[in-house]
Amino acid sequence: QPQLQESGPGLVKPSETLSLTCTVSGDSISNTINYWGWIRQPPGKGLEWIANINYSGNAYYSPSLKSRVTISVDTPKNQFSLKLSSVTAADTAVYYCARYNWNQGNSDYWGQGTLVTVSS
Amino acid sequence: DIVMTQSPLSLPVTPGEPASISCRSSQSLLHSNGFNYLVWYLQKPGQSPHLLIYLGSDRASGVPDRFSGSGSGTDFTLSISRVEAEDVGVYYCMQALQAPHTFGQGTKLEIK
């Protein structure tokens, strides 16, 4: 079954860009029925959807974050990535990558999550 | 954005007793294809969320049959027929009808 693993810096300075990568195993990013996405969870709070993307680069973004977010895919490496610019303390969260099953309308496989702290 | 509202936010339950969680959406989640794009997740302490129910009432693979989802349009319910100790955690509903996908606030189930 698919496995997803987030990687990237755990500490980012305010105003800088947060960059995370999700490596997928057990499935192909090029699978045409799936999208791949990011969800975050501030400490002690609920879940917030950020964006989804498919193998061809067709992407959907949260309007509240769209001006600062870039999501991309690297099909040869079977990875997808998130960049969030101009971060503040409010962007401190556990960031999860997940596979989105388009037909079933759900994120059926999730990574373990990675905590990113924004602090100087 | 579609607003998702869950109730209750806290749910103490005695093992073996039933439990239910309500989720309401600010817009209908019924797609023209006849499916409701409503998902239920459980986040156990210290873990990632995992999928319980999708399309309003379809159980995900490996999910015990004591979990069931019902509802249509704007009103949905997650039911647990007999709560077990391993069911503790925070339950979230999420709409996947349109971007941005939005989650309810979460319902924390605890054992009495």
Side-chain angles (χ1 to χ4, degrees), chain A residues 96-116:
Chain A
Y96 296 101
C97 61
R99 186 182 83 168
Y100 179 71
N101 186 314
W102 184 265
N103 290 338
Q104 297 180 355
N106 64 68
S107 292
D108 51 3
Y109 290 94
W110 295 59
Q112 65 184 27
T114 187
L115 174 63
V116 179

Side-chain angles (χ1 to χ4, degrees), chain A residues 39-48 50 92-96 110 114-115, chain B residues 43 47-49 90 92:
Chain A
I39 299 115
R40 70 180 182 178
Q41 184 172 37
K45 296 188 177 180
L47 299 164
E48 179 183 20
I50 301 172
T92 293
V94 175
Y95 285 76
Y96 296 101
W110 295 59
T114 187
L115 174 63
Chain B
Q43 186 174 33
Q47 296 184 14
S48 309
V90 181
Y92 294 95

Side-chain angles (χ1 to χ4, degrees), chain A residues 83-97:
Chain A
K83 291 187 186 300
L84 179 64
S85 64
S86 304
V87 298
T88 69
D91 294 311
T92 293
V94 175
Y95 285 76
Y96 296 101
C97 61

